[in-house]
Amino acid sequence: MSFIPPTMFEFLKKKTAAPDPAAAKPEAPARSGFSPEDLARAFTASQEEKAARAEAEKAQAREAMKETLATSLLARSLGGLFSRHPKLDEDLLDDIETALISADVGVPATTDLLGKLRKRMNAREFADARALLIALRIELLAMLAPVAKPLVIDGTHKPFTILTVGVNGVGKTTTIGKLARRFQEDGHSLMLAAGDTFRAAAVEQLKIWGERNNVVVIAQGQNADAASVAFDAVQAATSRGFDILIADTAGRLHTQAGLMAELGKIRRVIAKVDESAPHEVLMVIDGTTGQNALNQLRAFHQAVTVTGLVVTKLDGTAKGGVVFALAREFAIPIRYIGLGEKPEDLRIFDREAFVDALLPDSLLPEARTA
């Protein structure tokens, strides 16, 4: 094993017997003092602790999503619609359609979803409006199924290199800090690369975060060549054996062809050190930008092949529906969503918790097991 979490190390320390100088043999190879049984028990204890922490976080995330997303336009629209006890007819479907489009779900996704509901309603599969609501929940969950894939750090790649991209002002650098803290808590060693050399405060912001959390930051200062920073960082992280490298990049509009081409250069330079890198291209998207997020993702995906998304600022000001539009058009995994400013507000994307936070809970007792 290349890394033993602190809790495992404490467990093993208790099990280690004091060495006997008289029994030592000069020619014997160095030993850790841990028997295979000790290591196996410690590993099991560590895995159990990690699983328990993940379950606790999932429960906390569900509560946080419900509290935060309940104020979104989509949640308020659907909640108001079904609280009026509507009739099961075309007017109900029209109202659902209006709510979805107004909340940035988008016309294509809404059309697909309503077509399925209308077909079932005409086939008399729904006894009442509540039955249709339960069916709506199932369809929304199905829409998000292809993108509900948490980020998994592949330990066979060291460092596991994450390249972060996005337009100006989406919260990229802040998201990197939150991710780094999460990875630290999971027991990973990591390094950061301050590749946003265009914005004056970005390099210093990342340096300050690194100092506060004892994380190494590779930087060259403002206006340095971002590809050069990335190249140096991958070399340093490789030689020093870090588990994870997160590389920041300057925010840029998706319409700026020259700057978008620069992203491709950064990716190619990273691959010169490790041909399999970057192992994740994580795009940060502002959840308040609505349908424009689709245009952004389309351009960035063409430039650097995005492999995962972080949707930020879903703190009540966002309409909430853009997540469904992104899922339908691109099917790129949504790794995390941002519900606020605190580090713990960056949550692993949970499709069931997300959908249930948008629907009127009091009207869906059966939907929990649907």
Side-chain angles (χ1 to χ4, degrees), residues 271-345:
K272 287 182 179 180
V273 184
D274 179 353
E275 62 181 13
S276 67
H279 308 104
E280 176 83 357
V281 178
L282 203 57
M283 181 172 175
V284 182
I285 292 177
D286 183 338
T288 67
T289 56
Q291 292 295 297
N292 191 41
L294 301 179
N295 296 327
Q296 295 174 14
L297 179 51
R298 194 174 294 113
F300 277 86
H301 191 45
Q302 182 177 1
V304 287
T305 311
V306 176
T307 57
L309 303 177
V310 179
V311 183
T312 62
K313 304 183 183 181
L314 292 173
D315 55 0
T317 57
K319 297 178 181 179
V322 69
V323 170
F324 297 99
L326 291 168
R328 180 194 178 277
E329 179 159 345
F330 298 98
I332 294 174
I334 299 174
R335 308 298 195 184
Y336 304 95
I337 59 173
L339 301 176
E341 295 298 324
K342 300 189 294 295
E344 59 269 24
D345 289 332

XYZ file of all heavy atoms in Angstrom, residues 271-345:
559
model
N 0.209 16.216 -21.299
C 0.359 14.865 -21.838
C 1.808 14.540 -22.205
O 2.170 13.363 -22.316
C -0.534 14.683 -23.056
N 2.655 15.560 -22.354
C 4.061 15.302 -22.654
C 4.769 14.681 -21.454
O 5.746 13.945 -21.624
C 4.750 16.602 -23.064
C 4.366 17.099 -24.454
C 5.121 18.365 -24.818
C 4.742 18.840 -26.224
N 5.473 20.078 -26.601
N 4.290 15.004 -20.255
C 4.865 14.419 -19.046
C 4.229 13.070 -18.754
O 4.904 12.107 -18.396
C 4.682 15.357 -17.838
C 5.375 14.779 -16.597
C 5.207 16.745 -18.148
N 2.916 12.998 -18.903
C 2.164 11.758 -18.670
C 1.148 11.639 -19.797
O 0.184 12.404 -19.846
C 1.466 11.816 -17.304
C 0.645 10.562 -17.007
O 0.507 9.698 -17.900
O 0.130 10.451 -15.878
N 1.380 10.718 -20.693
C 0.526 10.627 -21.891
C -0.921 10.291 -21.571
O -1.810 10.502 -22.402
C 1.092 9.597 -22.857
C 1.147 8.180 -22.320
C 1.735 7.205 -23.309
O 2.326 7.654 -24.314
O 1.605 5.979 -23.085
N -1.185 9.773 -20.362
C -2.571 9.472 -19.983
C -3.276 10.662 -19.349
O -4.480 10.619 -19.117
C -2.602 8.294 -18.998
O -2.014 8.652 -17.758
N -2.533 11.725 -19.055
C -3.085 12.899 -18.375
C -3.568 13.953 -19.376
O -3.088 13.985 -20.510
C -2.027 13.487 -17.447
N -4.486 14.830 -18.976
C -5.160 14.841 -17.676
C -6.170 13.702 -17.569
O -6.782 13.316 -18.558
C -5.847 16.207 -17.647
C -6.094 16.535 -19.085
C -4.930 15.957 -19.832
N -6.340 13.203 -16.367
C -7.244 12.082 -16.149
C -8.680 12.525 -15.932
O -9.602 11.704 -16.020
C -6.747 11.264 -14.955
C -5.304 10.887 -15.090
N -4.296 11.506 -14.382
C -4.686 9.980 -15.912
C -3.130 10.988 -14.734
N -3.335 10.066 -15.648
N -8.867 13.784 -15.645
C -10.212 14.374 -15.537
C -10.125 15.819 -15.975
O -9.261 16.576 -15.514
C -10.724 14.293 -14.091
C -12.074 14.963 -13.860
C -13.265 14.070 -14.218
O -13.037 12.947 -14.707
O -14.422 14.499 -14.000
N -10.998 16.199 -16.922
C -11.140 17.607 -17.298
C -12.470 18.068 -16.720
O -13.542 17.684 -17.196
C -11.108 17.807 -18.827
C -11.313 19.279 -19.168
C -9.784 17.310 -19.398
N -12.379 18.844 -15.662
C -13.546 19.220 -14.867
C -13.961 20.640 -15.232
O -13.204 21.593 -15.007
C -13.190 19.123 -13.384
C -14.304 18.937 -12.356
C -15.129 17.682 -12.640
C -13.704 18.866 -10.957
N -15.152 20.784 -15.791
C -15.646 22.108 -16.140
C -16.603 22.602 -15.067
O -17.532 21.895 -14.673
C -16.355 22.091 -17.491
C -16.866 23.473 -17.888
S -17.504 23.525 -19.572
C -18.135 25.225 -19.625
N -16.358 23.828 -14.604
C -17.208 24.456 -13.602
C -18.216 25.340 -14.318
O -17.846 26.208 -15.120
C -16.373 25.281 -12.598
C -17.277 25.884 -11.523
C -15.296 24.410 -11.964
N -19.495 25.118 -14.026
C -20.582 25.851 -14.685
C -21.413 26.584 -13.645
O -21.786 26.009 -12.617
C -21.476 24.886 -15.497
C -20.694 24.323 -16.681
C -22.751 25.570 -15.972
C -21.474 23.306 -17.500
N -21.707 27.835 -13.909
C -22.553 28.650 -13.038
C -24.015 28.264 -13.281
O -24.529 28.421 -14.389
C -22.326 30.133 -13.354
C -23.102 31.073 -12.443
O -24.117 30.648 -11.854
O -22.692 32.239 -12.324
N -24.681 27.758 -12.242
C -26.057 27.302 -12.388
C -27.061 28.400 -12.664
O -28.214 28.107 -13.002
N -26.642 29.663 -12.561
C -27.570 30.771 -12.820
C -27.539 31.227 -14.271
O -28.310 32.112 -14.656
C -27.234 31.980 -11.922
O -25.959 32.517 -12.301
C -27.196 31.588 -10.461
N -26.660 30.648 -15.083
C -26.517 31.128 -16.462
C -27.565 30.565 -17.406
O -27.659 30.990 -18.555
C -25.120 30.782 -17.018
O -24.915 29.372 -16.904
C -24.044 31.512 -16.255
N -28.343 29.599 -16.955
C -29.433 29.086 -17.781
C -28.959 28.371 -19.027
O -27.936 27.690 -19.038
N -29.690 28.560 -20.117
C -29.411 27.827 -21.350
C -28.069 28.194 -21.977
O -27.532 27.438 -22.792
C -30.541 28.057 -22.356
C -31.864 27.426 -21.950
C -31.794 25.910 -21.900
O -31.571 25.253 -22.898
N -31.986 25.343 -20.708
N -27.498 29.334 -21.597
C -26.183 29.703 -22.119
C -25.117 28.707 -21.671
O -24.063 28.578 -22.297
C -25.804 31.116 -21.666
C -24.586 31.652 -22.399
O -24.429 31.459 -23.604
N -23.699 32.311 -21.672
N -25.390 27.996 -20.592
C -24.447 26.977 -20.111
C -24.234 25.898 -21.165
O -23.148 25.313 -21.259
C -24.970 26.354 -18.815
N -25.252 25.632 -21.976
C -25.117 24.623 -23.029
C -24.107 25.070 -24.073
O -23.286 24.276 -24.540
C -26.470 24.365 -23.682
C -27.600 23.872 -22.770
C -28.880 23.680 -23.574
C -27.217 22.587 -22.074
N -24.165 26.350 -24.453
C -23.209 26.869 -25.428
C -21.787 26.835 -24.875
O -20.834 26.524 -25.590
C -23.582 28.302 -25.818
C -24.918 28.385 -26.517
O -25.308 27.464 -27.241
N -25.641 29.471 -26.311
N -21.646 27.167 -23.602
C -20.332 27.131 -22.970
C -19.754 25.722 -22.991
O -18.607 25.514 -23.403
C -20.447 27.633 -21.528
C -20.835 29.082 -21.390
C -21.079 29.467 -19.940
O -20.713 28.737 -19.023
N -21.706 30.614 -19.721
N -20.547 24.775 -22.549
C -20.062 23.400 -22.486
C -19.745 22.865 -23.876
O -18.749 22.155 -24.068
C -21.097 22.505 -21.796
C -20.744 21.018 -21.680
C -19.365 20.804 -21.075
C -21.802 20.277 -20.863
N -20.541 23.216 -24.850
C -20.305 22.748 -26.211
C -18.926 23.198 -26.707
O -18.163 22.409 -27.291
C -21.412 23.285 -27.130
C -21.478 22.612 -28.494
C -22.686 23.098 -29.280
N -23.935 22.678 -28.658
C -24.818 23.510 -28.093
N -24.573 24.819 -28.064
N -25.930 23.054 -27.560
N -18.577 24.462 -26.449
C -17.296 24.996 -26.913
C -16.120 24.400 -26.138
O -15.098 24.031 -26.719
C -17.292 26.517 -26.785
N -16.252 24.306 -24.812
C -15.156 23.755 -24.008
C -14.953 22.267 -24.290
O -13.819 21.788 -24.303
C -15.437 23.983 -22.521
C -15.038 25.345 -22.029
C -15.911 26.427 -22.132
C -13.796 25.558 -21.463
C -15.542 27.683 -21.689
C -13.417 26.813 -21.005
C -14.294 27.889 -21.123
N -16.037 21.561 -24.521
C -15.934 20.134 -24.807
C -15.193 19.910 -26.125
O -14.384 18.980 -26.256
C -17.329 19.522 -24.857
C -17.330 18.017 -24.886
N -16.544 17.248 -24.066
C -18.023 17.132 -25.664
C -16.756 15.967 -24.307
N -17.639 15.873 -25.288
N -15.453 20.780 -27.087
C -14.771 20.674 -28.376
C -13.277 20.973 -28.218
O -12.437 20.343 -28.872
C -15.391 21.638 -29.384
C -14.767 21.572 -30.773
C -15.462 22.484 -31.767
O -16.406 23.196 -31.426
N -15.003 22.482 -32.998
N -12.938 21.887 -27.315
C -11.543 22.309 -27.164
C -10.711 21.324 -26.352
O -9.547 21.060 -26.690
C -11.481 23.689 -26.518
N -11.280 20.773 -25.276
C -10.457 19.964 -24.364
C -11.096 18.641 -23.938
O -10.563 17.938 -23.088
C -10.090 20.761 -23.088
C -9.057 21.809 -23.390
C -11.316 21.371 -22.437
N -12.257 18.285 -24.483
C -12.957 17.047 -24.131
C -13.240 16.984 -22.628
O -12.526 16.339 -21.847
C -12.160 15.790 -24.550
O -11.737 15.929 -25.907
C -13.020 14.546 -24.413
N -14.276 17.657 -22.221
C -14.689 17.700 -20.818
C -15.166 16.315 -20.382
O -15.931 15.654 -21.093
C -15.816 18.736 -20.621
C -16.326 18.722 -19.179
C -15.323 20.133 -21.000
N -14.728 15.872 -19.201
C -15.119 14.542 -18.706
C -15.988 14.597 -17.453
O -16.524 13.580 -17.031
C -13.872 13.696 -18.394
O -13.051 14.392 -17.427
C -13.056 13.441 -19.653
N -16.120 15.778 -16.855
C -16.947 15.902 -15.656
C -17.358 17.349 -15.432
O -16.680 18.274 -15.893
N -18.481 17.538 -14.722
C -19.009 18.880 -14.478
C -19.158 19.151 -12.991
O -19.441 18.247 -12.195
C -20.380 19.044 -15.145
C -20.479 18.796 -16.654
C -21.931 18.938 -17.101
C -19.586 19.762 -17.422
N -18.978 20.431 -12.637
C -19.358 20.938 -11.321
C -20.320 22.094 -11.581
O -19.952 23.062 -12.245
C -18.144 21.458 -10.522
C -18.600 21.987 -9.165
C -17.111 20.364 -10.338
N -21.555 21.972 -11.110
C -22.545 23.034 -11.297
C -22.630 23.819 -9.989
O -23.061 23.284 -8.964
C -23.927 22.476 -11.689
C -24.908 23.620 -11.958
C -23.810 21.583 -12.932
N -22.198 25.067 -10.021
C -22.124 25.885 -8.818
C -23.299 26.861 -8.714
O -24.102 26.995 -9.643
C -20.818 26.690 -8.792
O -20.798 27.584 -9.923
C -19.612 25.771 -8.869
N -23.370 27.519 -7.571
C -24.315 28.607 -7.310
C -25.775 28.164 -7.385
O -26.657 28.953 -7.750
C -24.048 29.788 -8.241
C -22.609 30.298 -8.153
C -22.346 31.504 -9.021
C -20.882 31.909 -8.940
N -20.563 33.111 -9.752
N -26.037 26.907 -7.037
C -27.419 26.433 -6.943
C -27.907 26.721 -5.517
O -28.318 25.839 -4.774
C -27.493 24.933 -7.234
C -27.176 24.519 -8.672
C -27.121 22.999 -8.794
C -28.224 25.079 -9.639
N -27.876 28.005 -5.159
C -28.154 28.407 -3.783
C -29.486 29.121 -3.626
O -29.693 29.874 -2.688
C -27.031 29.307 -3.265
C -26.799 30.506 -4.183
O -27.513 30.612 -5.200
O -25.918 31.319 -3.872
N -30.388 28.880 -4.540
C -31.696 29.523 -4.461
C -31.891 30.576 -5.525
O -33.015 30.865 -5.928
N -30.785 31.181 -6.005
C -30.908 32.171 -7.069
C -31.034 31.490 -8.430
O -31.553 32.072 -9.373
C -29.684 33.100 -7.081
O -28.508 32.304 -7.217
C -29.584 33.884 -5.777
N -30.549 30.269 -8.527
C -30.640 29.535 -9.793
C -32.044 28.975 -9.987
O -32.760 28.710 -9.036
C -29.619 28.405 -9.815
N -32.397 28.769 -11.238
C -33.712 28.202 -11.535
C -33.735 26.694 -11.355
O -34.785 26.102 -11.173
C -34.115 28.583 -12.958
C -34.277 30.100 -13.155
C -34.633 30.444 -14.590
C -34.771 31.945 -14.782
N -35.104 32.297 -16.185
N -32.587 26.062 -11.427
C -32.492 24.633 -11.111
C -32.597 23.692 -12.279
O -32.077 22.575 -12.236
N -33.257 24.095 -13.349
C -33.540 23.165 -14.434
C -32.408 22.919 -15.397
O -32.437 21.945 -16.159
N -31.364 23.786 -15.382
C -30.281 23.634 -16.353
C -29.563 22.296 -16.190
O -29.004 21.768 -17.151
C -29.284 24.808 -16.228
C -28.513 24.729 -14.909
C -28.328 24.830 -17.412
N -29.605 21.712 -15.012
C -28.968 20.410 -14.785
C -29.582 19.363 -15.712
O -28.870 18.523 -16.281
C -29.121 19.998 -13.304
C -28.692 18.546 -13.093
C -28.293 20.922 -12.415
N -30.892 19.401 -15.890
C -31.566 18.437 -16.765
C -31.209 18.689 -18.231
O -31.028 17.740 -19.001
C -33.082 18.524 -16.571
C -33.529 18.171 -15.184
C -33.801 19.165 -14.259
C -33.669 16.847 -14.801
C -34.201 18.841 -12.966
C -34.070 16.513 -13.513
C -34.337 17.516 -12.596
N -31.112 19.958 -18.613
C -30.763 20.281 -19.991
C -29.354 19.799 -20.320
O -29.104 19.231 -21.393
C -30.868 21.797 -20.204
N -28.418 20.007 -19.395
C -27.044 19.544 -19.595
C -26.997 18.024 -19.708
O -26.282 17.468 -20.551
C -26.167 20.009 -18.436
C -25.894 21.517 -18.334
C -25.266 21.853 -16.978
C -24.985 21.980 -19.467
N -27.750 17.361 -18.845
C -27.760 15.898 -18.850
C -28.295 15.351 -20.163
O -27.744 14.407 -20.732
C -28.596 15.380 -17.680
N -29.373 15.938 -20.653
C -29.993 15.423 -21.876
C -29.092 15.604 -23.088
O -28.940 14.695 -23.909
C -31.320 16.118 -22.131
C -32.009 15.600 -23.406
C -33.139 16.501 -23.840
N -33.734 16.005 -25.077
C -33.259 16.242 -26.292
N -32.156 16.960 -26.446
N -33.864 15.762 -27.374
N -28.464 16.776 -23.203
C -27.719 17.053 -24.425
C -26.337 16.424 -24.446
O -25.862 15.972 -25.492
C -27.582 18.563 -24.650
C -26.790 18.896 -25.904
C -27.060 20.290 -26.434
O -28.061 20.893 -26.015
O -26.278 20.761 -27.273
N -25.657 16.367 -23.294
C -24.264 15.950 -23.298
C -23.985 14.620 -22.589
O -23.012 13.951 -22.906
C -23.389 17.045 -22.661
C -23.428 18.344 -23.400
C -24.257 19.373 -22.980
C -22.651 18.537 -24.534
C -24.307 20.580 -23.653
C -22.692 19.737 -25.223
C -23.528 20.762 -24.782
N -24.786 14.274 -21.613
C -24.582 13.044 -20.828
C -23.188 12.973 -20.210
O -22.641 11.891 -20.011
C -24.857 11.805 -21.681
N -22.599 14.136 -19.921
C -21.303 14.192 -19.247
C -21.557 14.132 -17.744
O -22.412 14.853 -17.229
C -20.544 15.481 -19.616
C -20.178 15.463 -21.096
C -19.288 15.644 -18.760
C -19.554 16.757 -21.593
N -20.852 13.267 -17.011
C -21.119 13.111 -15.583
C -21.077 14.424 -14.806
O -20.174 15.236 -14.992
C -20.002 12.170 -15.120
C -19.647 11.384 -16.333
C -19.790 12.341 -17.478
N -22.080 14.620 -13.958
C -22.083 15.762 -13.039
C -21.479 15.252 -11.738
O -22.095 14.479 -11.011
C -23.512 16.302 -12.826
C -24.091 16.780 -14.161
C -23.511 17.442 -11.805
C -25.552 17.195 -14.088
N -20.260 15.667 -11.459
C -19.533 15.150 -10.306
C -19.999 15.791 -9.000
O -20.199 15.106 -7.995
C -18.027 15.391 -10.474
C -17.436 14.906 -11.796
C -17.576 13.406 -11.978
N -16.680 12.935 -13.067
C -16.631 11.708 -13.507
N -17.418 10.784 -12.977
N -15.797 11.359 -14.481
N -20.152 17.126 -9.027
C -20.497 17.856 -7.800
C -21.449 18.995 -8.138
O -21.507 19.467 -9.277
C -19.243 18.456 -7.139
C -18.154 17.462 -6.825
C -17.103 17.248 -7.719
C -18.155 16.740 -5.634
C -16.089 16.332 -7.444
C -17.142 15.825 -5.349
C -16.120 15.632 -6.256
O -15.129 14.727 -5.986
N -22.175 19.448 -7.109
C -22.961 20.676 -7.233
C -22.628 21.568 -6.044
O -22.329 21.083 -4.946
C -24.484 20.416 -7.298
C -24.982 19.692 -6.047
C -24.844 19.642 -8.553
C -26.499 19.580 -5.991
N -22.665 22.875 -6.282
C -22.363 23.841 -5.230
C -23.633 24.480 -4.703
O -24.407 25.052 -5.464
N -23.834 24.364 -3.386
C -25.062 24.870 -2.763
C -24.829 26.115 -1.908
O -25.765 26.623 -1.296
C -25.699 23.779 -1.893
C -26.078 22.474 -2.596
C -26.596 21.459 -1.590
C -27.126 22.723 -3.678
N -23.588 26.581 -1.836
C -23.296 27.737 -1.001
C -21.814 28.041 -0.972
O -21.020 27.478 -1.732
N -21.418 28.909 -0.040
C -20.042 29.389 0.017
C -19.130 28.524 0.871
O -17.918 28.515 0.677
C -20.028 30.834 0.556
C -20.719 31.839 -0.351
C -20.045 31.951 -1.709
O -18.792 31.862 -1.767
O -20.761 32.099 -2.716
N -19.675 27.809 1.842
C -18.839 27.032 2.766
C -18.227 25.815 2.052
O -18.824 25.301 1.096
C -19.661 26.582 3.974
C -20.260 27.717 4.782
C -20.882 27.223 6.070
C -22.093 26.326 5.838
N -23.216 27.026 5.206
N -17.049 25.365 2.514
C -16.408 24.218 1.867
C -17.321 22.995 1.781
O -17.325 22.277 0.776
C -15.196 23.942 2.770
C -14.879 25.266 3.378
C -16.198 25.939 3.587
N -18.100 22.757 2.838
C -18.972 21.580 2.844
C -20.184 21.733 1.923
O -20.943 20.776 1.722
C -19.448 21.265 4.264
C -20.212 22.382 4.929
C -19.349 23.332 5.726
O -18.136 23.436 5.425
O -19.875 23.977 6.648
N -20.375 22.930 1.361
C -21.503 23.142 0.444
C -21.237 22.586 -0.952
O -22.137 22.595 -1.797
C -21.832 24.631 0.341
C -22.467 25.175 1.606
O -23.128 24.390 2.308
O -22.306 26.374 1.900
